[in-house]
Amino acid sequence: MGPMIRTNEQEDDYMSPTWLMPMLRGSYFVPCSIHADSNKNECNLFCLDCAGNAFCSYCLVKHKDHRVVQIRRSSYHNVVRVNEIQRFIDISCVQTYIINSAKIVFLNERPQPRIGKGVTNTCEICCRSLLDSFRFCSLGCKLGGMKRGDQSLTFSLRGKHGREYQGGSESDEATTPTKLRKTNAFNRLMSGLSISTVRLDDFGPGGDQRSLSSGDEGGFSFSPGTPPIYNHRNSSRRKGIPHRAPF
């Protein structure tokens, strides 16, 4: 079998989806020309299936069952929430930020005129300061790195996971490693606890507890209860007899 030859169109689609560049270059937060007389008619939605111009919420009915993401604004730059965009592309190597308790990623580059002191890592495209674990500050900068010929970069989820992503929302907090470890530890703790129950039948006529063998049907384990915590500060105590100081 000869080597597989990939056409230019297939190569560009593998590197980045066809809708990515129109989304990055779109004009957002401008009044909708169709609903000019309506309130809240700013164009802040983008359809990945149509890959056309941005549209407002009133135009959303024309994109039923389409993949639509909402573009937001932060520091005069266009952003998109991570939990919306990561269902369709691989955003690894791009630094994310938390704005209003939501994790976001910037669409386009944000050049930084002056690099601060002590900065050890910057964006490979626009030289914006980054954390050490990231390479790019935006989706556009990652695309620029891919166009330079870096074969390790891709927007394809199939290339990242070995299979195509099947859609569906996924919470960022649910996939946090620290939170997963805490949840697993809590489940192990709860599964190891046993309910301590004492029945009246377990005591003999003299009030002594009868021993239960492991084969007794319906047997319960008995463990002494934890004594209540006695708070001496809150207890009321009688004051002593007052003594007058000697002259």
Side-chain angles (χ1 to χ4, degrees):
M1 180 181 296
M4 181 179 297
I5 300 176
R6 183 181 298 170
T7 63
N8 293 335
E9 183 179 357
Q10 290 176 341
E11 185 176 359
D12 292 340
D13 184 66
Y14 178 78
M15 288 180 55
S16 62
T18 55
W19 50 262
L20 181 60
M21 186 59 69
M23 185 185 71
L24 298 181
R25 294 180 177 178
S27 298
Y28 302 101
F29 303 100
V30 295
C32 178
S33 59
I34 302 176
H35 304 92
D37 298 333
S38 303
N39 296 327
K40 298 182 179 180
N41 62 347
E42 59 181 9
C43 298
N44 61 348
L45 300 174
F46 184 83
C47 180
L48 309 185
D49 295 322
C50 300
N53 297 326
F55 54 92
C56 69
S57 58
Y58 299 103
C59 300
L60 188 59
V61 294
K62 300 180 181 179
H63 301 271
K64 185 179 180 181
D65 299 329
H66 288 188
R67 298 174 300 171
V68 177
V69 295
Q70 181 178 353
I71 306 301
R72 306 170 191 272
R73 184 65 65 91
S74 175
S75 301
Y76 304 101
H77 294 279
N78 297 327
V79 302
V80 63
R81 285 187 175 179
V82 170
N83 60 358
E84 293 184 22
I85 198 64
Q86 72 177 356
R87 297 180 294 171
F88 311 115
I89 58 175
D90 176 15
I91 62 172
S92 59
C93 300
V94 181
Q95 180 165 322
T96 59
Y97 302 84
I98 297 179
I99 306 295
N100 295 332
S101 302
K103 189 179 293 186
I104 59 94
V105 62
F106 285 87
L107 296 189
N108 297 298
E109 62 181 19
R110 299 175 298 137
Q112 194 169 2
R114 184 184 307 175
I115 301 177
K117 296 181 179 179
V119 176
T120 59
N121 185 36
T122 59
C123 177
E124 298 179 6
I125 302 299
C126 67
C127 297
R128 173 165 286 273
S129 59
L130 301 175
L131 298 178
D132 293 337
S133 57
F134 298 100
R135 298 175 57 185
F136 307 100
C137 69
S138 64
L139 299 177
C141 288
K142 179 178 180 178
L143 182 60
M146 295 168 59
K147 291 182 177 181
R148 288 183 174 180
D150 193 338
Q151 300 295 330
S152 63
L153 298 174
T154 180
F155 281 110
S156 174
L157 292 173
R158 183 184 305 175
K160 179 180 179 181
H161 303 290
R163 57 183 176 85
E164 190 172 2
Y165 188 75
Q166 297 298 328
S169 61
E170 181 179 359
S171 174
D172 298 331
E173 296 181 356
T175 58
T176 304
T178 304
K179 200 156 193 173
L180 281 176
R181 290 195 296 268
K182 291 182 180 180
T183 303
N184 294 335
F186 178 77
N187 292 335
R188 290 195 301 267
L189 177 63
M190 294 302 297
S191 61
L193 294 178
S194 60
I195 302 175
S196 301
T197 307
V198 180
R199 298 185 304 173
L200 294 177
D201 297 340
D202 296 338
F203 292 88
D208 296 335
Q209 183 186 3
R210 295 184 300 179
S211 61
L212 294 175
S213 62
S214 59
D216 290 341
E217 183 179 0
F220 294 89
S221 61
F222 174 78
S223 60
T226 303
I229 300 176
Y230 185 78
N231 192 349
H232 294 277
R233 295 183 177 180
N234 296 334
S235 61
S236 60
R237 54 183 180 179
R238 188 175 180 180
K239 295 182 178 180
I241 301 175
H243 297 278
R244 182 184 296 273
F247 293 99

